Structure formats: C-alpha cells, structure tokens
Amino acid sequence: MADSTARDKGQRRGRARREGEADKAGPAAEASGVAEPTGPPAATRWLSPEEREAWLANSAIMISLPAALDARMQRETQLTFFEYMVLSVLSEEPARTLQMSDLAARTSASLSRLSHVVGRLEKRGLLARARVPGPGRRTNTTLTEAGFEEVVAAAPGHVAAVREYLMDELEPHELATLRRIGAAVDAAIKRGRPDPASGTSGPGSS
C-alpha cells in the first residue's frame, strides 16, 4: 500500500513538472513567431531569424507587387496585368505567334488559365487562334494588328509602374542579385511542376 501511494505521488509530481515546463515553453514559442513542429523534429528545416525576415520581405513583393501592377494597368488601360503580359510576349516573337503550350510556359500560367484569357482577348479582336496542321492537338496564338496597337499603347504606363514600384528603389549593383534570385526561384518551381502542356501548373497558378 505504501509503495502504491509513493508511486502515485511520484507520477503526480512528474506530470506537474512536465506541465510547468510546457507552460514556460509556450510563451517563448509564441514570441519567436514560429509554430512548434508537430511532426518528427528531423523532418522540418525551420527558418532561422534571418531567413524568416528575408522570406517575409519577399512575400510582400510576391503578393503586393502583382496586385499593384494589375490595379494600375486596369486604371490606365482596358487590360489586366496578365493580359498585358500575354500580348507583350507575343509582340516580341517572330510573326507575333506562339503555340499555346509555349505561351503558357513564357507567362508562367496553366493552359486552362491561359485558354480562358486568350479566349477573352480573341473576342476583343486582339488575338487569333489557329490549329497547327499535323498530329496532336496543337494551337497557335497570333497577336493581331489591333492587339499590337493595344500593347504598344499600354507599354509606357507599364514600364513606368515597374520603375516606380521596383527598379528605382534598387541600387545598380542589386539588379544582378535580383536577376539571379528570380532565375533560381523560377528554376526551382519548374523542377517541381508538371509540363504546361498537361494543363496543370504548380502552386500559385490559377
């Protein structure tokens, strides 16, 4: 009986000690801004404070910059930012033409999203689509003269926005770093993304 009572007291003291340690750890975890891992400790490489600050700063670019460019583009033209990118890419191609799969890759979009936008621009007379002869379901998209005039008219405002929101805020030596970061992130995303011809895309596309 004495042994049982002592064992119960020891178990209660152990539980109280563990609960006290958890209470002390809780505020520290909240102050760090990083959630406590729920899986095996070795399975997650948590961000260091420096990495977390860099990630949060770049999250603002990824979320806020496209939204600002889109809002400004729609105020100044009858195009969205993505529509402008589609027209702009085609305007720089020989014969102003690309296959849909190539255009999807160049604009970092899924085929489903691109098809929807191209259809809308085609109704406005800015683009024209045509089946490519031969096997497979291949489609060319061509910028019309009206589309070329539209993108030429929109380009100055777009460039002004890019300069105001990004380029003019950087030092000259930072441009090479920005280009390297962009290329590295794009390559990493493409490594984990299905071929655009499949009609699917990686995270963030719609």
Side-chain angles (χ1 to χ4, degrees), residues 37-54:
T38 57
T44 303
R45 296 173 56 210
W46 299 100
L47 299 180
S48 69
E50 294 79 9
E51 289 173 330
R52 185 172 183 273
E53 289 179 7

Side-chain angles (χ1 to χ4, degrees), residues 61-142:
I61 295 178
M62 292 185 291
I63 296 170
S64 300
L65 182 58
L69 291 172
D70 194 59
R72 183 156 170 172
M73 181 67 66
Q74 292 189 66
R75 285 198 306 270
E76 298 177 356
T77 72
Q78 295 183 357
L79 299 170
T80 67
F81 174 53
F82 182 67
E83 288 172 342
Y84 172 82
M85 292 302 297
V86 170
L87 300 181
S88 178
V89 166
L90 288 171
S91 73
E92 297 173 353
E93 289 298 311
R96 302 172 187 169
T97 298
L98 275 176
Q99 284 191 33
M100 285 286 287
S101 58
D102 295 330
L103 185 57
R106 291 283 300 277
T107 55
S108 301
S110 66
L111 270 176
S112 59
R113 179 190 185 192
L114 180 64
S115 295
H116 177 73
V117 171
V118 166
R120 190 164 64 229
L121 294 172
E122 189 174 28
K123 289 179 180 179
R124 294 172 55 186
L126 305 180
L127 297 178
R129 283 183 287 188
R131 290 289 301 275
V132 177
R137 297 180 60 185
R138 297 175 296 164
T139 303
N140 277 342
T141 303
T142 300

